[in-house]
Amino acid sequence: MEKPRQSRAGLWNINFGFFGIQIGFALQNANMSRIFQSLGEDIEKLPGLWVAAPLTGLLVQPIVGHLSDRTWLGRLGRRRPYFLAGAVLAAIALFVMPQSPSIWFAATMLWILDASLNVSMEPFRAFVGDMLRVDQHSAGYAVQTAFIGAGAVAGSLFPMLMEAIGVSNVAPPGEIPDTVRYAFWFGGLALFLSVMWTVIATSEYDPARMATFETPGGSDEPAVRALASRSHGAGLGWAAAGVCVILIQREFALLREVLLLGALLIGYGIATSAAIALARRGKEKNMLSAIVGDFAGMPPVMKRLAMVQFFSWSALFVMWINTTPIVAQYHFGTTDAASAAYQTAANWVGVLFAVYNGVAAFAALTLLPHLSRRIGQARTHIAGLACGAIGYGSFFLIRDPVQLVASEIFIGAFWASVLAMPYAILASSLPQSKLGVYMGLFNIFVVVPQLLVATVMGSIMQALFPGEPIYTMAFAAGTLVIAAAAMMRVSALTNKSPS
């Protein structure tokens, strides 16, 4: 049975909550390095403080996805309880964050904020698949991308708008400027109200109705039974890799954040062995075995897209961490986080981030649908990845900060493609009853590269180009070239026009 076709108003209501969620992410992405440096942190230590964001996504999204697949709270529905809970917690975190008295308090609040945003965001990805017919997936994720871009523009511009109306943009050493403080407060309110719009304006298909739309392959039992046939060698292999990372960190005196990467590998190895043991005992209804089994049994398209996501998000995380110090140092001539020039540079980064997000919103509704119809979704994404490589590479050639707008136009086209094309390709290949958990597992390939950047990039910077963050942009451009090459494998597998 086919789902009813959603109207334009339906597409709006389904996706509007993402506008507020992205305001939260934009405030976080554009301002957390600024907050950490304003509180006195060194640039080489920024990646370690940022590690909270990807780590929370890694842990939260698969669990929330698994649980949301199995939730039904009457009139509140299946995904919307998670939208609402995450929005309330994120709004609280945004109100408290600007009051941070220390670096570690700010890092803790970043952890809470990112976890809350992830609780809301992951079910939104699955919500589009829940509510839309297959032939509307591209349109649904394009509208979602447009709201992501619009929300990010608003969040990125908040500090500059505060300065424009007379709010102080300078603070004494160890304090956060009022522009940032008020921006976070307004952002928290906007986030809560926009998510409430989607919660109130939509109604989900109940379990009986959803079952009539089901596609084959939605049960946990086959994945868990397949897991039971595996040996414990896989778990031991992951744990051994983690031990090797820890030994390398100690041998070469790398930054302590690298120990976290080793601990995560060991943890995943232990979780894999535990999941296999539970599956062998016939316990098919436990969450750990279900998630690990689904991860091991990903559809072929998802496996190939995973590689593309890995390299794409490595580049994005490099940009979010380093753009403010890069622009301050190379385009405004300062490395002093307490100076007026640094705060001006930080506000200009907010404008640049608004540009790439604004371009993404426009491209999602115009350029991407046109290209995907003409050349297919996979080739459209290859073109988007190439635009990203050009945008990052141009930072080496441009010294006038105004001209960086051109760089951000290319990055905006890349960002639009990252947010829409992989999900549109993926959604049509997943069983309906597992959209939540598979979207959460797909996020692993968004999070793991960010963890690698957060734990390893600081050591690379310290060893190869201390005090020269612009070279991270060369790394980012190179990873996008690799991502484009990996996307060609997806194109060969799908080899069809989008729905």
Side-chain angles (χ1 to χ4, degrees), residues 32-33 36-37 40-52 103-104 107 110 255-257 321-322 325 453-455 457-459 461-462 467:
M32 286 313 302
S33 287
F36 288 141
Q37 287 193 286
E41 190 56 280
D42 296 330
I43 185 173
E44 287 82 6
K45 296 181 180 178
L46 290 181
L49 292 171
W50 271 84
V51 77
I103 292 169
W104 289 110
L110 172 60
L255 294 179
R256 286 181 298 174
E257 288 80 6
I321 292 175
N322 293 293
V453 170
T455 55
M457 186 58 69
S459 294
M461 284 179 63
Q462 210 170 48

Side-chain angles (χ1 to χ4, degrees), residues 80-348:
R80 289 177 298 161
Y82 298 91
F83 303 166
L84 184 57
V88 170
L89 293 172
I92 293 171
L94 285 168
F95 274 91
V96 174
M97 175 74 77
Q99 308 305 314
S100 298
S102 67
I103 292 169
W104 289 110
F105 186 90
T108 300
M109 292 311 303
L110 172 60
W111 193 300
I112 295 170
L113 173 61
D114 204 80
S116 304
L117 291 171
N118 274 285
V119 167
S120 283
M121 183 184 74
E122 194 286 326
F124 258 106
R125 296 288 192 195
F127 191 50
V128 174
D130 288 345
M131 302 300 294
L132 299 182
R133 299 154 50 115
V134 171
D135 61 1
Q136 286 194 293
H137 282 167
S138 292
Y141 286 108
V143 172
Q144 188 173 97
T145 298
F147 277 125
I148 289 171
V153 169
S156 298
L157 288 179
F158 268 149
M160 179 164 279
L161 292 175
M162 294 297 103
E163 184 182 22
I165 63 174
V167 177
S168 174
N169 189 48
V170 179
E175 295 187 18
I176 297 168
D178 284 343
T179 50
V180 176
R181 194 186 313 275
Y182 293 158
F184 272 63
W185 291 346
F186 280 113
L189 180 62
L191 185 155
F192 178 75
L193 292 177
S194 65
V195 171
M196 282 300 299
W197 178 291
T198 290
V199 170
I200 293 170
T202 60
S203 59
E204 300 183 65
Y205 300 119
D206 62 40
R209 185 87 185 277
M210 187 64 75
T212 67
F213 305 136
E214 185 58 86
T215 54
S219 172
D220 284 333
E221 284 77 3
V224 176
R225 283 196 293 271
L227 189 65
S229 66
R230 298 180 64 188
S231 72
H232 286 283
L236 292 174
W238 285 109
V243 172
C244 289
V245 168
I246 291 172
L247 292 175
I248 291 171
Q249 187 276 336
R250 292 182 175 178
E251 177 68 22
F252 295 98
L254 301 178
L255 294 179
R256 286 181 298 174
E257 288 80 6
V258 177
L259 294 173
L260 176 61
L261 178 60
L264 285 170
L265 291 170
I266 293 171
Y268 181 71
I270 293 171
T272 298
S273 293
I276 291 171
L278 288 169
R280 286 182 175 180
R281 292 175 193 164
K283 297 182 178 180
E284 297 182 340
K285 296 295 185 181
N286 71 90
M287 181 168 64
L288 180 61
S289 294
I291 291 175
V292 173
D294 286 333
F295 184 72
M298 290 185 295
V301 170
M302 185 172 171
K303 290 179 181 178
R304 295 193 181 189
L305 280 170
M307 183 67 68
V308 179
Q309 290 290 86
F310 179 89
F311 288 108
S312 300
W313 285 86
S314 295
L316 285 164
F317 206 58
V318 165
M319 177 182 72
W320 291 330
I321 292 175
N322 293 293
T323 299
T324 295
I326 286 171
V327 171
Q329 181 173 341
Y330 294 94
H331 301 87
F332 286 82
T334 183
T335 58
D336 180 5
S339 67
Y342 181 93
Q343 299 301 334
T344 300
N347 276 359
W348 182 243

